[in-house]
Amino acid sequence: MSRPCHAQIDLQALRDNYRLACELAPAAQAVAVVKANAYGHGAIEAAKALEPLAPVLGVACIEEAQELRAAGIIKPILLLEGIFSADEVNIASRENFFLMVENLEQIEAIIQAEVEHPLHCWLKVDTGMHRLGLLPEQVDGALAILKASNNVQADIIMASHFASADELDNPSNAEQLRCFDELIDECEQAQGLAQSLANSATILANPNAHRQWLRPGFMLYGASPFTIDNDNAAKLKPVMSLLSEVISLRPIQAGERVGYGGKWQAERDSIIATIACGYGDGYPRHAPNGTPVLIDGQEAPLVGRVSMDMITVDVTDIPDVQLGSRAEMWGKALCVNRVAEYANTIGYELLTRMPARPTRVYSS
């Protein structure tokens, strides 16, 4: 017997979401992004599920890529933040890690290295997000240096990242796309190179920016990047279900309080169910009273503060709740984005901050 809190991971849903990305842009190839422990789902298992489908996997850094290699993953792996020190260039060459290149120091490290095999490089351009990427005026010279180096494969890919792709009516999306396209048109060295602009939101809603390489991340895990309805996002299948059970039931009288600090007070005689899941299991500590939890498939409101190991919910209006009744904190029947909205955060954070304690239970 073990503590019932666990994360159920549906690998078939993961694969179906990847296929959806490919179907939306049939002329493009898609990097399957498994950074941050596959957004909390387990990088090794996610990569094994996606490797037969994806030509390239994507991670943030070389440590994440090495973890996948050690687990037997053989497909190329794109380092989305590139290298952090010059010694990583030789590792990338040896292990077939593709490099995102975003500054002149990285370029210098690449061309000065003594590598076993030429590197596949993606050149990132800052078109308005102002986080990573070369300035547009640096691109032509950077490409000339990379192309002249025997350390670099000829198939350089031009990349950028939208700052507000999830806000469909934000004018910055069109402005960034215009900036990128003008740069390509005016940059002699960029002619004929493949392009990559599309993150999850762009894949789902902006076909003009699909280009040759997609970078699906959040959408792979079955949650929408949007705060409004979107027809394509509605086709996504949730991959993670955070599940547990009712471990205690108690009646309380009107006026009695529940949890640390007594922050919730019953306005009527109530039945309180305690669930084995808390912020030590990835449930947001700042989730307020009223946040929905499913008990045997029916919504019950969170009451009282979230504890490290437990939460409490009001099940007064749900018949036949008993010890062992199923609790779903988020998953196939309760969208993680909805819980995140109550907790004043985003679904990205809830998934990627999932700790190791809840056992991942994988199904195909």
Side-chain angles (χ1 to χ4, degrees), residues 233-255:
K235 301 173 186 176
L236 296 169
K237 300 176 181 179
V239 175
M240 178 192 290
S241 298
L242 182 58
L243 305 173
S244 191
E245 295 177 1
V246 173
I247 61 170
S248 187
L249 283 165
R250 67 199 57 252
I252 65 171
Q253 296 180 353

Side-chain angles (χ1 to χ4, degrees), residues 47-67:
K48 287 180 177 179
L50 291 166
E51 186 175 28
L53 305 177
V56 180
L57 301 170
V59 298
C61 58
I62 203 163
E63 292 84 1
E64 292 181 338
Q66 289 175 313
E67 178 187 23

Side-chain angles (χ1 to χ4, degrees), residues 162-208:
F162 290 108
S164 303
D166 57 328
E167 301 172 15
L168 300 182
D169 58 351
N170 192 313
S172 72
N173 295 317
E175 177 59 24
Q176 282 192 256
L177 187 59
R178 182 196 62 76
C179 176
F180 184 84
D181 286 342
E182 286 184 359
L183 170 66
I184 298 299
D185 289 342
E186 296 170 3
C187 179
E188 181 180 350
Q189 296 289 345
Q191 300 307 305
L193 297 181
Q195 301 167 17
S196 178
L197 294 165
N199 59 3
S200 292
T202 305
I203 294 167
L204 292 165
N206 189 356
N208 289 333

Side-chain angles (χ1 to χ4, degrees), residues 114-261:
E114 296 182 5
V115 300
E116 298 179 27
H117 310 285
L119 292 146
H120 292 270
C121 292
W122 293 43
L123 191 67
K124 191 162 201 174
V125 185
D126 182 2
T127 56
M129 189 170 186
H130 304 322
R131 186 179 66 175
L132 292 176
L134 295 173
L135 300 177
E137 57 267 26
Q138 296 175 309
V139 170
D140 203 43
L143 280 171
I145 293 170
L146 291 171
K147 287 183 174 183
S149 173
N150 292 329
N151 288 354
V152 178
Q153 296 272 8
D155 57 346
I156 298 170
I157 294 173
M158 300 297 297
S160 193
H161 195 70
F162 290 108
S164 303
D166 57 328
E167 301 172 15
L168 300 182
D169 58 351
N170 192 313
S172 72
N173 295 317
E175 177 59 24
Q176 282 192 256
L177 187 59
R178 182 196 62 76
C179 176
F180 184 84
D181 286 342
E182 286 184 359
L183 170 66
I184 298 299
D185 289 342
E186 296 170 3
C187 179
E188 181 180 350
Q189 296 289 345
Q191 300 307 305
L193 297 181
Q195 301 167 17
S196 178
L197 294 165
N199 59 3
S200 292
T202 305
I203 294 167
L204 292 165
N206 189 356
N208 289 333
H210 282 167
R211 308 305 162 94
Q212 290 78 38
W213 280 93
L214 313 173
R215 305 191 304 271
F218 190 54
M219 70 173 291
L220 295 182
Y221 306 97
S224 171
F226 307 114
T227 57
I228 60 174
D229 291 339
N230 174 272
D231 289 344
N232 288 328
K235 301 173 186 176
L236 296 169
K237 300 176 181 179
V239 175
M240 178 192 290
S241 298
L242 182 58
L243 305 173
S244 191
E245 295 177 1
V246 173
I247 61 170
S248 187
L249 283 165
R250 67 199 57 252
I252 65 171
Q253 296 180 353
E256 290 192 291
R257 296 178 180 273
V258 173
Y260 282 122

Side-chain angles (χ1 to χ4, degrees), residues 322-340:
Q322 51 193 297
L323 299 189
S325 285
R326 185 177 190 266
E328 179 176 321
M329 276 52 72
W330 62 71
K332 294 187 180 299
L334 179 59
C335 180
V336 67
N337 286 341
R338 187 174 172 212
V339 178

Side-chain angles (χ1 to χ4, degrees), residues 42-125:
I44 292 172
E45 293 298 331
K48 287 180 177 179
L50 291 166
E51 186 175 28
L53 305 177
V56 180
L57 301 170
V59 298
C61 58
I62 203 163
E63 292 84 1
E64 292 181 338
Q66 289 175 313
E67 178 187 23
L68 297 184
R69 281 286 180 266
I73 300 299
I74 62 174
K75 284 285 181 71
I77 302 173
L78 172 63
L79 309 186
L80 290 162
E81 294 182 12
I83 60 169
F84 293 93
S85 59
D87 62 300
E88 295 181 7
V89 176
N90 288 327
I91 299 172
S93 169
R94 183 175 67 249
E95 298 290 347
N96 197 21
F97 298 157
F98 294 3
L99 297 182
M100 188 72 75
V101 180
E102 73 89 18
N103 62 56
L104 299 178
E105 289 76 16
Q106 289 177 339
I107 293 174
E108 184 67 15
I110 290 168
I111 66 172
Q112 293 298 329
E114 296 182 5
V115 300
E116 298 179 27
H117 310 285
L119 292 146
H120 292 270
C121 292
W122 293 43
L123 191 67
K124 191 162 201 174
V125 185

